[in-house]
Structure formats: structure tokens, C-alpha cells
């Protein structure tokens, strides 16, 4: 036993992995795909803290379970050699820098949001965000469902049906439809890979700063924030941007916490800060209920992600081979991405208000398509300057 433990002992300390994720959370720009790429380059290729197999298992789990992709992978990497304490410290270190940044940005937004120069900045930024989200929705579509080729669409016709349903129902209702996502997941699982217990009935398994509103909150609002963001965090698959339809439906439509312009600004804040895109929930929580709201929103959103990873990690190799679980996730993912496209349509119709914003939005898509080395924060910064010039000249 001692020899086995020695052979599998990590060549890094708990402090080392915590410091790494603290740095990544501070300087890691580029969105989820870039962040998981940095982890592979740094931890597998350069430092050799993880094996290729361990990394791939973590990436597969992050794609299978609900939650933002990069944060889940970070939590799993912390879990590999240091179990629960490693998962907890890695997750906190990864999220904390960007959380602090969005709270500070929330304070600035509360102070200056009504001023002409701030409105001019977000005039350009809001249009660029629509372009960025549109491009992300396109990439998620071809990655998670299929390419826009007739043969591929024909073979995945049911997923495309769920995708279309997600678009239409989101546009019509302007709300997140959790029951639709669950129904799509269950239906796809039953058609493609029904679980064994349906074929052979057995015992079912156990279920799986006052001036800037710093303390401006009330208990009922915090409870609403906690429950709403807990649901949102439990239904985000693959990319942090998949949370947009949930947030839009609840934050703008159901509760009326933010208006359309403030919501687009909140998404923009997520684009210009490092770390997971989902951290926009901290900014939204701050605008709604000050610092307590930011803390509750962030904790509620990331809690499902954390619990799923630490619960599934020990037995993931067995779970990953379960075809029923895979098809269930595929069905949910198709409808969630459709809902993301629906949200882009809704937000875009209200954010692209004139010719300049249309040009900025289209230009953002073109840059992402043909100048792939230019990352989103640079596009946002350029759009901010452009918006300022358009509104002041």
C-alpha cells in the first residue's frame, strides 16, 4: 500500500495548485475553451502535474455534468490528488479574482452608470456583446449538435428538433423553460438509450460601502436570488454563455431586477473580466442587492457545479460509459443551446437600435471569424472606445 501511494503521490503541493488557479483566475482571458486549453498546456504538458488520462477524464466530466466548463475542470483537477479540500481551494481560487473584479465594476456602475460617458461606452460594448454571443452560439451549435450539412442534420434530426423548440419557445415566452430542457433530455434518453431498469424493473437507484449600494438588500430578495441562481447553475451545460437565457428570463422578465440595457451591460462585464464567464452573476447580484446579493448569486450558481464534480469524480469512469446518461445530457444540451440562440434574438432586437450598433455587432462577428487571434476583451475595449467617440463627437 505504501509503495502504491508513493507511486501515485503528486509532484506538487496543495498550495501550488491553489496558487496556479489564483493566477489563472486573475489573468485567464479568452472564455471557457481558452481556459481549459491553458490548463492542459500548463498542468499536463509543462508541469506534468496531471497525466493526459486524468485531464481527459476531468474534461469529459465537465462536459457531462451541469455547470460552467472551465470551473468544473478546475474543481476536478483540484480533486484528483487532494480530494475535497483540493476541489474546494481550486474552485475558490479560480473564481475569487474575477468575483472581486465584477463587484468593483458593479460599484463603479452604480456610481457612474447614469453619466453620459458611461452610457456612451456601453452603447458600443452592448452591440459588440451581441456579436460575440451570436458567434459563441454558432460554435456551440456545430460542436454540440452537428455541422450545418444535410447528412449531419438528417442523422441528428431529433436534436435539431429540440434545438428549434428551444429557440421558438424562448423567443415566444421570453423566459427560461427548465421543464422543456428536462423533457428533451428524458425523451432523447428513452428513444436512443433507455436505462436498463426500464427494460428490467429493479429497485431504482438512490437519486442523484453604502453610497454604491454595498449593503442595499432585503431578506426576501436574497432568498429569491439564491433559489433562482441555484436553478440556473444546475442547468448550464458546456459553456458559461449557456446561462444567458436563464438569466435573461428571470432577471429581466420574471423579477424585473434589471432592464434590457443593464442586462447586456452585465454580460459585457463578464466578457472583459478573466476567469469563468458565469461570474457575471456576481455583477448582477451586486446591482440587485449589493455585496450580499453578489455573494449569494455567485455561491448559488457555482454550488451545483461543485457538488456534481465531487459527487461524480470518484466513480466517474463507470458513469462515463453509461449511454443513458450521455443521451440525457445530449438532449438537454440541444434545447439549452436553442434557448441561447433565442435569447440572442430577443436581446439583439433591443440592443441593435441603429446603423452604428448593427455595424459594431456584425464587425465583432467578422473579427471572431477571420482574426481568431484577437480575443473578446480586445473587441470589447475597441467597441467601448468607438461608442464613446460616436456619442461624443
Amino acid at each position: 500500500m505504501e509503495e502504491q501511494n508513493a507511486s501515485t503521490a503528486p509532484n506538487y503541493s496543495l498550495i501550488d495548485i491553489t496558487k496556479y488557479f489564483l493566477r489563472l483566475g486573475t489573468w485567464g482571458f479568452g472564455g471557457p475553451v481558452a481556459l481549459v486549453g491553458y490548463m492542459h498546456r500548463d498542468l499536463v504538458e509543462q508541469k506534468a502535474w496531471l497525466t493526459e488520462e486524468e485531464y481527459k477524464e476531468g474534461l469529459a466530466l465537465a462536459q457531462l455534468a451541469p455547470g460552467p466548463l472551465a470551473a468544473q475542470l478546475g474543481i476536478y483537477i483540484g480533486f484528483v490528488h487532494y480530494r475535497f479540500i483540493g476541489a474546494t481551494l481550486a474552485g475558490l481560487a479560480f473564481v475569487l479574482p474575477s468575483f472581486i473584479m465584477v463587484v468593483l465594476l458593479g460599484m463603479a456602475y452604480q456610481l457612474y452608470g447614469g453619466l453620459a460617458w458611461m452610457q456612451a461606452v456601453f452603447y458600443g460594448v452592448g452591440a459588440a456583446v451581441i456579436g460575440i454571443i451570436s458567434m459563441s452560439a454558432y460554435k456551440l451549435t456545430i460542436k454540440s449538435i452537428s455541422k450545418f450539412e444535410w447528412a449531419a442534420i438528417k442523422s441528428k434530426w431529433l436534436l435539431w428538433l429540440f434545438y428549434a423548440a428551444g429557440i421558438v419557445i424562448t423567443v415566444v415566452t421570453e423566459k427560461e423553460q427548465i421543464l422543456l430542457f428536462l423533457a428533451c433530455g428524458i425523451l432523447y434518453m428513452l428513444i436512443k438509450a433507455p436505462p436498463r431498469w426500464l427494460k428490467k424493473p429493479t429497485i431504482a437507484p438512490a437519486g442523484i460601502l453604502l453610497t454604491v449600494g454595498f449593503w442595499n438588500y432585503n431578506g426576501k430578495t436574497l432568498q429569491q436570488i439564491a433559489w433562482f441562481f441555484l436553478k440556473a447553475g444546475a442547468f448550464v451545460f458546456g459553456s458559461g454563455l449557456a446561462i444567458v437565457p436563464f438569466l435573461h428570463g428571470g432577471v429581466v422578465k420574471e423579477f424585473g431586477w434589471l432592464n434590457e440595457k443593464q442586462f447586456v451591460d452585465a454580460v459585457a462585464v463578464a466578457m472583459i473580466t478573466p476567469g469563468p464567464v458565469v461570474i457575471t452573476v456576481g455583477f448582477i447580484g451586486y446591482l440587485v442587492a449589493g455585496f450580499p446579493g453578489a455573494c449569494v448569486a455567485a455561491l448559488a450558481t457555482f454550488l451545483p457545479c461543485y457538488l456534481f464534480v465531487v459527487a461524480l469524480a470518484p466513480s466517474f469512469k463507470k458513469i462515463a460509459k453509461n449511454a443513458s446518461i450521455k443521451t440525457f445530457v445530449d438532449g438537454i444540451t440541444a434545447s439549452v443551446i436553442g434557448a441561447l440562440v433565442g435569447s440572442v434574438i430577443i436581446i439583439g432586437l433591443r440592443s441593435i437600435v441603429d446603423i452604428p450598433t448593427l455595424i459594431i455587432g456584425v464587425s465583432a462577428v467578422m473579427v471572431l471569424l477571420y482574426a481568431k487571434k484577437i480575443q473578446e476583451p480586445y473587441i470589447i475595449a475597441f467597441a467601448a472606445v468607438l461608442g464613446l467617440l460616436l456619442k461624443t463627437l
Side-chain angles (χ1 to χ4, degrees):
M1 180 66 73
E2 290 181 0
E3 290 180 3
Q4 185 178 359
N5 289 340
S7 64
T8 58
N11 59 347
Y12 61 93
S13 68
L14 186 59
I15 294 176
D16 290 335
I17 195 69
T18 304
K19 286 167 63 178
Y20 170 77
F21 279 106
L22 199 60
R23 289 194 298 271
L24 185 64
T26 304
W27 305 110
F29 288 97
V33 175
L35 289 169
V36 299
Y38 298 151
M39 292 181 209
H40 184 272
R41 178 197 66 193
D42 299 337
L43 303 180
V44 178
E45 296 176 358
Q46 296 182 0
K47 298 179 184 292
W49 287 0
L50 296 177
T51 65
E52 187 73 33
E53 183 181 0
E54 287 169 338
Y55 175 86
K56 287 181 178 177
E57 286 175 3
L59 188 58
L61 175 57
Q63 291 172 323
L64 178 64
L69 181 70
Q72 279 186 303
L73 180 57
I75 292 168
Y76 182 86
I77 288 172
F79 185 89
V80 169
H81 289 124
Y82 290 100
R83 319 313 279 176
F84 298 105
I85 185 66
T88 304
L89 290 178
L92 286 174
F94 186 40
V95 171
L96 189 59
S98 53
F99 175 76
I100 293 172
M101 291 179 203
V102 297
V103 167
L104 293 175
L105 287 169
M107 294 167 67
Y109 192 84
Q110 291 279 42
L111 279 173
Y112 305 115
L115 300 181
W117 68 269
M118 177 69 90
Q119 293 175 356
V121 164
F122 279 100
Y123 169 79
V125 166
V129 165
I130 299 303
I132 292 171
I133 300 178
S134 300
M135 193 63 198
S136 297
Y138 167 74
K139 289 179 179 178
L140 282 171
T141 300
I142 60 175
K143 178 183 176 183
S144 301
I145 304 176
S146 77
K147 294 182 179 180
F148 289 94
E149 299 171 354
W150 175 244
I153 293 173
K154 187 177 179 181
S155 66
K156 300 278 187 177
W157 68 270
L158 190 54
L159 288 180
W160 279 103
L161 182 64
F162 295 155
Y163 175 80
I167 296 174
V168 173
I169 292 176
T170 300
V171 170
V172 171
T173 64
E174 299 190 359
K175 291 182 180 179
E176 81 283 1
Q177 300 295 333
I178 293 176
L179 291 179
L180 169 68
F181 305 145
L182 286 174
C184 290
I186 293 170
L187 182 60
Y188 197 62
M189 176 185 70
L190 294 177
I191 293 173
K192 292 293 184 179
R196 291 182 180 178
W197 55 266
L198 277 180
K199 300 175 183 176
K200 297 181 179 179
T202 57
I203 299 174
I208 319 193
L209 306 153
L210 300 178
T211 55
V212 291
F214 199 77
W215 292 106
N216 184 22
Y217 75 98
N218 64 63
K220 183 179 179 182
T221 302
L222 284 183
Q223 291 175 12
Q224 291 175 330
I225 288 172
W227 177 238
F228 171 71
F229 284 99
L230 193 67
K231 289 190 295 181
F235 285 90
V236 183
F237 284 84
S239 168
L241 285 174
I243 203 173
V244 168
F246 290 93
L247 298 185
H248 183 266
V251 170
V252 178
K253 293 297 174 183
E254 183 179 352
F255 295 105
W257 288 328
L258 303 182
N259 58 37
E260 292 285 351
K261 179 181 178 302
Q262 289 172 322
F263 181 77
V264 175
D265 294 347
V267 177
V269 165
M271 298 290 182
I272 62 175
T273 51
V277 175
V278 174
I279 202 60
T280 187
V281 300
F283 182 84
I284 293 171
Y286 186 88
L287 296 188
V288 176
F291 183 67
C295 292
V296 170
L299 179 62
T301 303
F302 284 96
L303 184 60
C305 160
Y306 173 82
L307 293 178
F308 270 100
V309 171
V310 298
L312 297 178
S315 55
F316 179 65
K317 286 185 179 180
K318 183 178 179 181
I319 295 171
K321 297 177 182 177
N322 190 305
S324 298
I325 292 176
K326 285 183 177 180
T327 52
F328 175 72
V329 171
D330 288 342
I332 287 182
T333 302
S335 57
V336 166
I337 296 172
L340 174 60
V341 175
S343 292
V344 172
I345 293 171
I346 294 169
I347 302 168
L349 289 173
R350 291 161 187 169
S351 298
I352 306 298
V353 294
D354 51 25
I355 298 298
T357 50
L358 177 62
I359 293 173
I360 292 172
V362 172
S363 298
V365 173
M366 294 296 102
V367 170
L368 290 170
L369 273 174
Y370 299 108
K372 297 181 180 179
K373 290 184 178 180
I374 299 178
Q375 296 181 345
E376 286 90 341
Y378 298 109
I379 298 173
I380 294 291
F382 182 77
V385 173
L386 194 57
L388 197 59
L389 292 173
L390 287 171
K391 286 294 186 180
T392 55
L393 294 180

